[in-house]
Amino acid sequence: MLMMKTVMKNMAAQHRVARRSLPTGPVTAAYKRKVDAEEVRRDDAQVALAAKLDALHESLTSLPPVPVRTGRPSESSSTSSSPLLLLLRRSLASAQSFLRKKFHLWSFGPPPRGMYIHGPVGVGKSFLMDLFYASVNVPDDSCCNNDTHSFKHVKITKRRVHFHEFMLDVHHRIFVYKQKHPQDDAIPIIAQQLAQEAQLLCFDEFQVTDVADAMILKRLFLLLLDWNVVVVATSNRSPDALYEGGINRSLFLPFIDMLKHRFDIISMEDSAKDYRLETRADGQSYFWSNKDVHGDNNSDNNMQAQLKEIFGGTASRTEAEAIHVSFGRTAQVARLNDRCAWFDFSELCYQPLGAADYISLCDRFQVLIMDRVPQLDVNHLDEARRFVTLIDVCYESRTRLVLAAKVPLDELFVEFEAQVESSDGNEELFVSEKGGNSSSFATTMIRTKEGEEFEWSATGRSGVSLAQLSATNELVFSFRRAASRLVEMGGKEWGRQ
């Protein structure tokens, strides 16, 4: 009996040693180092995601090389081809794609599955994806954990990009290609370009709010998968909620079906903890003054003095600078120095600007100051949408965003509800703030189908399409992400050095 107990005890001890000695993947090891250094708090959902990313990392070792690019059609052939020749060329491309798939399956087995990670803001989706991205294509002689085990380091080309920036790049490539080949289909060529530039694509903040993007993605992703590109994406939206309520959404549904069939869908919806909020802002990036309410000039003067200190004195030049933006446009900056630009909220958010403009500004300046930021409620839908895009771009590029607002940070975004109502066949978007409506100082004239005009003032109504409803609801969703990011961006260590 004593011998049996001794044997069982030794077996249990050996099992514990074996468990401790089991090799872990590079993502789990990197995450463990962060936890041991008390940089992050251990979270079961994050540990589970790290293990899944380790499995994907291992599968990348069997990823085949991307075939050599085939030549583009000549400009003369593309502009003079008959519809029959164009149809034959596309049929040939489809046949090549089919044969490529068969060759890959025969030579290498099934390709690695992509990963789509979704969940609330601040739960660690992007953090874990970045640990995974850093583990790919690292030097062979480095060690990725504290044990004696060494990892199999994957050597493939890769690209990590915010989804805003990726779609801008795709649109620009389409624009350039169509300049030379106006009658050709640009998407297969662009998919091949992207595949040869990066075998691994990591997207942060995957979202679809534009009908043009929706139509491009459906075909582009299928072609990227044909070229053996592995895609990892993070999103606040589940696949079924992508482009929800968008115009012609039925045409986008095959993309969602493909996503669920070809990708591993990882949900972190049960992780409600926003870890960004644990580190409160230090007060050096967000200022507010209640001058409009109480007429407190001292508070406003103090805030302006702090902004001037951050700006670093007077501008280094008296002339405005024109910052180059994609598609041949420019963004004008009137108040600037070598590292910082100072704007009024109206300059960046009341104007028809978008992600491309904000990306160019962040590329040029380390610090952006924005003054006179209003409370963003139902009366500032378009402005709020641009402001959220600016926050996303600044966050992705680690550009310091200094804000001077009229309300405290926790009151900056006012959540609202939107729904379509119909009166006598006229669709209207009804937008109401949670907790009651506030009056609007804006006046907009709405024209009915019969040509009659009436005033929209404090009623919260405006003409609407399904696309507008989708964009409005998406904005409500993105408020939470923006508020969370502003807290993190207010830390002392935030920004580019």
Side-chain angles (χ1 to χ4, degrees):
M1 187 69 178
L2 180 61
M3 182 179 294
M4 180 64 71
K5 289 183 178 179
T6 302
V7 171
M8 295 294 291
K9 185 176 181 180
N10 289 338
M11 289 177 63
Q14 292 173 1
H15 180 65
R16 287 194 297 271
V17 171
R19 288 185 62 186
R20 284 197 300 269
S21 62
L22 283 175
T24 58
V27 184
T28 297
Y31 180 75
K32 183 178 182 299
R33 290 199 304 272
K34 296 282 187 181
V35 173
D36 292 343
E38 298 184 346
E39 296 179 28
V40 299
R41 185 189 303 173
R42 188 185 186 280
D43 180 275
D44 289 341
Q46 294 178 3
V47 171
L49 176 57
K52 291 181 173 66
L53 289 167
D54 282 335
L56 177 59
H57 183 279
E58 177 68 20
S59 71
L60 292 178
T61 58
S62 62
L63 191 65
V66 176
V68 178
R69 177 185 299 179
T70 58
R72 290 182 181 181
S74 65
E75 185 172 359
S76 59
S77 64
S78 65
T79 56
S80 60
S81 295
S82 67
L84 178 59
L85 289 177
L86 290 174
L87 179 61
L88 289 174
R89 186 183 299 144
R90 291 172 184 174
S91 299
L92 178 60
S94 298
Q96 289 174 335
S97 174
F98 175 79
L99 293 173
R100 203 163 47 240
K101 289 181 186 178
K102 292 297 183 182
F103 176 77
H104 174 266
L105 290 173
W106 177 73
S107 303
F108 303 95
R113 291 170 62 86
M115 191 175 291
Y116 184 92
I117 310 161
H118 66 94
V121 299
V123 298
K125 304 183 300 296
S126 301
F127 168 65
L128 267 299
M129 184 183 72
D130 287 344
L131 290 182
F132 164 74
Y133 182 81
S135 72
V136 176
N137 204 32
V138 294
D140 292 334
D141 57 354
S142 64
C143 183
C144 295
N145 68 351
N146 296 326
D147 301 322
T148 58
H149 304 287
S150 61
F151 299 121
K152 185 184 295 183
H153 299 306
V154 182
K155 291 271 189 183
I156 65 173
T157 53
K158 61 181 182 176
R159 180 183 181 189
R160 196 271 192 199
V161 63
H162 191 279
F163 195 65
H164 273 318
E165 189 173 351
F166 175 76
M167 289 311 301
L168 283 170
D169 179 37
V170 170
H171 284 292
H172 181 69
R173 290 172 189 251
I174 293 173
F175 173 77
V176 171
Y177 184 82
K178 285 293 189 179
Q179 292 292 102
K180 295 183 178 179
H181 314 286
Q183 296 186 21
D184 270 8
D185 185 1
I187 300 301
I189 298 296
I190 291 169
Q192 191 175 10
Q193 291 173 354
L194 293 170
Q196 291 178 326
E197 293 167 6
Q199 295 168 276
L200 171 66
L201 275 175
C202 290
F203 295 127
D204 196 25
E205 301 298 344
F206 190 98
Q207 57 183 322
V208 184
T209 59
D210 182 82
V211 63
D213 289 351
M215 296 302 98
I216 290 172
L217 286 172
K218 184 178 64 175
R219 298 184 56 226
L220 181 62
F221 266 55
L222 283 171
L223 289 166
L224 288 174
L225 295 179
D226 285 350
W227 286 103
N228 306 322
V229 174
V230 176
V231 176
V232 178
T234 69
S235 179
N236 296 135
R237 292 286 199 182
S238 68
D240 289 323
L242 287 171
Y243 197 50
E244 196 169 32
I247 190 170
N248 291 329
R249 188 172 188 262
S250 60
L251 300 177
F252 183 69
L253 294 180
F255 172 82
I256 296 177
D257 292 337
M258 179 275 297
L259 195 64
K260 293 191 289 187
H261 178 67
R262 303 281 294 270
F263 284 63
D264 289 330
I265 309 301
I266 311 299
S267 173
M268 298 183 75
E269 295 294 341
D270 294 334
S271 304
K273 180 69 173 178
D274 185 348
Y275 288 99
R276 293 192 190 113
L277 301 182
E278 292 191 350
T279 304
R280 302 299 300 178
D282 62 6
Q284 296 304 304
S285 290
Y286 190 93
F287 305 90
W288 71 281
S289 169
N290 56 2
K291 176 184 176 183
D292 289 349
V293 178
H294 302 291
D296 187 353
N297 288 322
N298 290 332
S299 174
D300 187 64
N301 291 338
N302 181 58
M303 181 177 70
Q304 291 296 319
Q306 290 175 297
L307 295 180
K308 290 179 181 178
E309 182 178 352
I310 294 172
F311 183 70
T314 59
S316 60
R317 64 192 74 185
T318 57
E319 295 182 357
E321 181 176 334
I323 307 297
H324 173 72
V325 182
S326 300
F327 304 102
R329 298 186 296 106
T330 58
Q332 299 296 319
V333 185
R335 191 173 184 182
L336 71 152
N337 53 41
D338 290 338
R339 58 178 290 276
C340 182
W342 191 332
F343 300 94
D344 189 272
F345 180 84
S346 61
E347 293 180 87
L348 292 184
C349 298
Y350 277 87
Q351 306 302 319
L353 304 180
D357 304 272
Y358 303 143
I359 289 171
S360 296
L361 291 175
C362 289
D363 287 343
R364 168 64 177 83
F365 301 103
Q366 296 178 358
V367 181
L368 298 181
I369 298 175
M370 180 182 286
D371 203 354
R372 299 176 184 174
V373 180
Q375 187 178 47
L376 297 165
D377 53 20
V378 299
N379 304 312
H380 300 89
L381 295 182
D382 290 334
E383 295 82 5
R385 188 176 297 110
R386 297 183 187 112
F387 183 61
V388 167
T389 300
L390 173 63
I391 293 172
D392 286 344
V393 171
C394 288
Y395 184 86
E396 184 67 19
S397 62
R398 295 194 67 84
T399 300
R400 187 180 178 191
L401 179 62
V402 180
L403 303 176
K406 298 181 180 180
V407 294
L409 178 55
D410 57 3
E411 299 178 16
L412 180 62
F413 297 101
V414 178
E415 291 194 1
F416 49 81
E417 296 175 345
Q419 63 189 61
V420 173
E421 293 187 353
S422 181
S423 175
D424 297 328
N426 294 311
E427 283 189 339
E428 295 176 332
L429 177 66
F430 182 76
V431 185
S432 61
E433 292 175 358
K434 294 180 178 179
N437 290 333
S438 63
S439 62
S440 168
F441 295 101
T443 298
T444 303
M445 300 305 294
I446 303 299
R447 184 188 300 273
T448 67
K449 291 181 179 179
E450 292 75 24
E452 180 183 0
E453 291 189 345
F454 64 94
E455 184 184 69
W456 174 83
S457 181
T459 62
R461 293 178 183 270
S462 66
V464 68
S465 67
L466 288 177
Q468 288 172 311
L469 176 65
S470 173
T472 300
N473 285 328
E474 185 69 30
L475 179 62
V476 179
F477 200 85
S478 64
F479 273 2
R480 300 162 201 160
R481 180 182 74 243
S484 173
R485 286 185 161 182
L486 283 178
V487 171
E488 183 181 355
M489 294 163 71
K492 292 181 179 180
E493 302 302 320
W494 183 267
R496 305 196 299 268
Q497 301 299 324

